[in-house]
Amino acid sequence: MPSPDRRVVPSLERVGAIAYEASSIVGAISRLAGSDIGGAAARVARRLPPDISITEQELRSHLLKIARTCVSGVHDDAANGATMTLRRRLVDLIREEVVRGWMTGEPPSRETMLQALDRLERAQKACMPSVDQSFVAELSERGGLDLVVEVAHDMRSPLTSILFLSEVLHSGQSGALNDVQKRQIGIVYSAALGLVGMASDMIEMAKGGSRLPDRQPVAFSVNELLQNVHDLVRPTSEEKQVVLDVRTLQSPHRVGHPIPLSRVLLNLTTNALKFAHDGDVEVSARSRGGGRVEFAVRDTGPGISEAAMKTLFQPFRREPARESGYYFSGTGLGLAISRRLIAAMGSELKVETRPEWGTRFSFELHLPPASPL
């Protein structure tokens, strides 16, 4: 039952059909690869990203083949490169949904989690290009930018799994850890979080860096958004022994763009934690009247030098120690993406920095009050 534009879009008149399709998918995939993967596949079927164009029948076929691959470790047809790329993307989405389900609900046993992640990793490897496929040929045939985006997608999902399992270990759900082990897990978590952010920023930069996923403003809670950012970076702040202070709004229910706002605050907070050694980081939201809210992230690090300010928002910077060429700056990429997203939301990213005082990034957004969610 394909839609006219070949996109799985949950319009009101098709909710029933999609719900039926999703329920049949979850049943079939659960029998093949487990209920966690089946439920995640159903959620993916209901809300595909806008860059995936596919009929419902094709989607069902791909998801069932992925389920079989999760069990067998091999794909059962001679799919072309474009099909394999699509399936790898679907595996990424399913893995993200599996981990999100564990984080928002009652987590299953450790054995169940490891089995699900192992099956998804098996499916991901089976969808990879053959070994004899030349990397240089890929660059020339499809363009380096496309390949970078694909690699970033492939990085993000396993890193998300590392984040989740690190959090499980750090919290003691798999057994008590001593202080040294907790610190080591904190380092693993921090590294994975940084790589997830970099991969997401690479994808966003390749697509222009200024897309608003939620095209129309929606109601959301600023305080819940801030709490989510706090929860994501908490292991990093604990590992670095940096005090993380989050200041919330008295009237948090607003109308705006929560997805890019969360992305910006996570980028700014992660960057602040990199430079706040034995100090503190403050993330705040303050009402400025007229429906405007000021967001700010300040660290008590050494501040930004005048020379560094000149290239602060450049994702690619010349390496002084090299005779030629550039190096890739994750910090600059995150800041460049943040500035573009803030501009897309109708504001400007400002920076204030002084030696030994630290650095403060801030911006104001028009977020009209909304009814409590």
Side-chain angles (χ1 to χ4, degrees), residues 265-283:
L265 291 175
L266 182 59
N267 269 341
L268 295 179
T269 306
T270 302
N271 284 345
L273 287 169
K274 291 179 183 178
F275 302 104
H277 304 291
D278 299 324
D280 61 85
V281 169
E282 179 186 280
V283 184

Side-chain angles (χ1 to χ4, degrees), residues 2 13 16 28 31 39 71 78 84 111-112 115 129 132 152 172 174-175 188 209 215 225 251 272 311 321 368 371:
E13 62 271 19
R31 288 191 294 274
V71 177
M84 288 289 98
E111 290 72 19
T112 299
Q115 184 183 55
D132 60 354
S174 300
V188 171
R215 296 183 181 179
L225 186 150
S251 302
T311 60
S371 301

Side-chain angles (χ1 to χ4, degrees), residues 180-254:
V180 173
Q181 290 170 327
K182 282 189 175 181
R183 179 171 175 79
Q184 291 170 339
I185 290 297
I187 293 171
V188 171
Y189 183 95
S190 300
L193 181 62
L195 289 171
V196 167
M198 185 180 294
S200 297
D201 289 338
M202 289 167 63
I203 295 168
E204 190 65 38
M205 181 64 78
K207 295 179 179 178
S210 59
R211 300 178 308 120
L212 296 181
D214 38 3
R215 296 183 181 179
Q216 297 298 323
V218 297
F220 71 103
S221 169
V222 171
N223 291 355
E224 287 183 10
L225 186 150
L226 293 173
Q227 184 61 48
N228 289 338
V229 171
H230 173 274
D231 291 344
L232 278 171
V233 302
R234 177 179 54 81
T236 302
S237 67
E238 291 178 353
E239 182 270 319
K240 296 195 66 175
Q241 298 181 337
V242 172
V243 176
L244 182 61
D245 183 17
V246 177
R247 303 195 175 188
T248 56
L249 281 179
Q250 186 173 0
S251 302
H253 301 289
R254 303 288 177 142

Side-chain angles (χ1 to χ4, degrees), residues 85-306:
T85 298
L86 172 61
R87 288 188 190 166
R88 287 202 303 276
R89 182 74 191 286
L90 290 172
V91 172
D92 285 343
L93 293 171
I94 292 170
R95 179 161 26 199
E96 290 175 5
E97 286 295 331
V98 166
V99 174
R100 184 179 290 114
W102 291 342
M103 297 181 73
T104 57
E106 184 68 25
S109 67
R110 178 174 177 272
E111 290 72 19
T112 299
M113 289 190 290
L114 291 176
Q115 184 183 55
L117 292 175
D118 179 67
R119 286 180 169 179
L120 288 167
E121 190 65 25
R122 195 181 303 173
Q124 184 76 23
K125 288 180 179 178
C127 294
M128 294 301 291
S130 59
V131 177
D132 60 354
Q133 191 171 21
S134 167
F135 182 78
V136 175
E138 281 284 287
L139 284 174
S140 60
E141 179 183 339
R142 300 184 318 181
L145 189 59
D146 289 342
L147 184 60
V148 167
V149 171
E150 186 175 326
V151 170
H153 273 301
D154 290 347
M155 286 173 52
R156 193 164 53 179
S157 286
L159 286 169
T160 302
S161 300
I162 293 173
L163 284 176
F164 174 75
L165 292 176
S166 298
E167 178 66 18
V168 169
L169 290 171
H170 192 272
S171 65
Q173 294 182 40
S174 300
L177 302 178
N178 60 40
D179 291 342
V180 173
Q181 290 170 327
K182 282 189 175 181
R183 179 171 175 79
Q184 291 170 339
I185 290 297
I187 293 171
V188 171
Y189 183 95
S190 300
L193 181 62
L195 289 171
V196 167
M198 185 180 294
S200 297
D201 289 338
M202 289 167 63
I203 295 168
E204 190 65 38
M205 181 64 78
K207 295 179 179 178
S210 59
R211 300 178 308 120
L212 296 181
D214 38 3
R215 296 183 181 179
Q216 297 298 323
V218 297
F220 71 103
S221 169
V222 171
N223 291 355
E224 287 183 10
L225 186 150
L226 293 173
Q227 184 61 48
N228 289 338
V229 171
H230 173 274
D231 291 344
L232 278 171
V233 302
R234 177 179 54 81
T236 302
S237 67
E238 291 178 353
E239 182 270 319
K240 296 195 66 175
Q241 298 181 337
V242 172
V243 176
L244 182 61
D245 183 17
V246 177
R247 303 195 175 188
T248 56
L249 281 179
Q250 186 173 0
S251 302
H253 301 289
R254 303 288 177 142
V255 175
H257 297 275
I259 296 176
L261 176 57
S262 177
R263 179 80 169 279
V264 168
L265 291 175
L266 182 59
N267 269 341
L268 295 179
T269 306
T270 302
N271 284 345
L273 287 169
K274 291 179 183 178
F275 302 104
H277 304 291
D278 299 324
D280 61 85
V281 169
E282 179 186 280
V283 184
S284 63
R286 295 181 174 87
S287 177
R288 294 305 188 194
R292 298 195 68 79
V293 177
E294 182 196 51
F295 294 92
V297 177
R298 186 201 161 183
D299 66 71
T300 57
I304 305 172
S305 68
E306 185 176 347

